């Protein structure tokens, strides 16, 4: 075989190996699951029914590797569970959590396999919390938004943030809704897609009505579902039974 052709074949094989190795490396960094670790009582807000929050986040990758991210003493994870969702459309999930500063209150934070990517500003005051709804392309523009209720017992305000290029930008808010009562160990509702369009399932601020709320990118559209705002009613709504 001519030397020139042999060199070309070797170069092609090397390039192929580099490409395959790169794909394997990307796949190995994919997050498979996440959990909170290091229970702590250093905050004591007890909004979820007890004084125990979490000091660490353990992320497990698809190859079995685990990464543990430990918060400083002035922060806790004040949440029910980490939530996984592909926020940037690359086919691999990120992790969404409520991360609280003990003097500045809660923030919505996003973690990747190598640690924190970004977060919203903290609410600004101790013992002030937010309750996540989840993530979806809420307005149908091809970019993912995250949604939560800011202070579900006080401000009762829905906030929507767009996640793009590793950053969060607030794009909408609407007062008058909630998804949690003080002391409940879980968070009600979330984001469902029943007829092709994401809808946020919430209660009105006084817990009198279960609603499905859409956001078009410029306008909110509300559909009242039921006067029952029990967890069973929320569960039915999330499965598109309502």
């Amino acid at each position: 075989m001519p030397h020139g052709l042999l060199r070309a074949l070797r170069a092609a094989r090397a390039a192929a190996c580099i490409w395959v190795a790169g794909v394997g490396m990307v796949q190995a960094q994919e997050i498979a699951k996440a959990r909170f670790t290091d229970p702590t009582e250093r905050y004591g807000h007890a909004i979820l029914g007890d004084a125990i929050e979490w000091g660490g986040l353990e992320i497990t990758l698809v190859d079995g590797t685990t990464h543990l991210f430990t918060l400083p003493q002035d922060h806790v994870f004040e949440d029910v569970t980490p939530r996984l969702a592909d926020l940037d459309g690359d086919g691999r999930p990120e992790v969404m959590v409520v991360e609280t500063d003990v003097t500045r209150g809660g923030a919505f934070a996003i973690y990747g396999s190598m640690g924190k990517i970004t977060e919203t500003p903290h609410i600004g005051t101790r013992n002030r919390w937010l309750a996540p709804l989840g993530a979806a392309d809420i307005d149908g523009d091809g970019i993912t938004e995250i949604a939560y209720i800011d202070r579900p017992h006080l401000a009762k305000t829905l906030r929507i943030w767009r996640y793009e290029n590793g950053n969060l930008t607030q794009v909408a808010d609407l007062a008058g809704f909630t998804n949690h009562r003080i002391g409940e160990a879980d968070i009600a509702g979330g984001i469902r897609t029943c007829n092709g369009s994401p809808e946020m399932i919430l209660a009105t601020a006084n817990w009198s009505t279960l609603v499905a709320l859409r956001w078009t990118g410029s306008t909110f559209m509300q559909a009242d579902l039921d006067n029952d705002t029990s967890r069973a009613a929320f569960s039915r709504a999330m499965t598109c039974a309502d």
Side-chain angles (χ1 to χ4, degrees):
M1 180 180 293
H3 290 300
L5 180 58
L6 182 59
R7 283 195 298 270
L9 287 172
R10 285 174 177 166
R13 288 194 192 106
C17 288
I18 291 170
W19 182 81
V20 170
V23 171
M25 189 178 300
V26 169
Q27 290 174 339
Q29 293 299 310
E30 182 175 343
I31 296 171
K33 59 184 179 180
R35 70 183 184 97
F36 292 131
T37 65
D38 306 330
T40 177
E41 296 185 16
R42 64 180 179 246
Y43 186 39
H45 188 198
I47 204 68
L48 290 164
D50 59 40
I52 298 173
E53 311 302 346
W54 306 97
L57 173 66
E58 182 184 84
I59 291 177
T60 301
L61 308 182
V62 294
D63 66 356
T65 302
T66 60
H67 293 168
L68 178 62
F69 303 103
T70 302
L71 294 177
Q73 288 296 304
D74 59 354
H75 280 67
V76 295
F77 292 113
E78 192 178 15
D79 206 346
V80 175
T81 187
R83 300 160 185 79
L84 269 62
D86 178 12
L87 302 179
D88 56 13
D90 67 353
R92 302 188 303 274
E94 286 74 37
V95 181
M96 303 179 292
V97 293
V98 178
E99 184 173 331
T100 294
D101 182 301
V102 300
T103 61
R104 296 185 295 144
F108 193 107
I110 297 172
Y111 278 72
S113 61
M114 303 307 294
K116 188 189 295 185
I117 299 170
T118 189
E119 66 181 359
T120 65
H122 290 271
I123 291 170
T125 302
R126 179 180 176 85
N127 292 347
R128 296 294 181 265
W129 183 65
L130 61 88
L133 283 163
D137 179 8
I138 297 174
D139 61 353
D141 67 351
I143 301 172
T144 299
E145 288 81 30
I146 63 99
Y148 61 80
I149 298 296
D150 178 356
R151 291 160 288 175
H153 325 113
L154 296 170
K156 301 183 181 182
T157 298
L158 169 67
R159 300 201 188 278
I160 299 175
W161 294 71
R162 180 169 290 124
Y163 180 74
E164 190 172 17
N165 299 321
N167 295 302
L168 286 165
T169 304
Q170 187 172 343
V171 292
D173 59 72
L174 186 65
F177 299 93
T178 189
N179 58 348
H180 185 265
R181 293 183 177 96
I182 293 174
E184 291 177 332
D186 64 338
I187 298 169
I191 302 175
R192 73 177 190 182
T193 301
C194 297
N195 299 304
S197 297
E199 297 175 311
M200 295 164 280
I201 304 302
L202 299 160
T204 51
N206 63 359
W207 287 94
S208 65
T209 308
L210 183 68
V211 305
L213 196 64
R214 293 186 184 183
W215 181 60
T216 66
S218 59
T219 304
F220 284 99
M221 302 171 63
Q222 178 177 330
D224 293 349
L225 302 179
D226 203 325
N227 292 329
D228 181 0
T229 57
S230 66
R231 285 299 193 272
F234 269 99
S235 296
R236 288 193 301 270
M238 288 297 295
T239 61
C240 302
D242 287 329

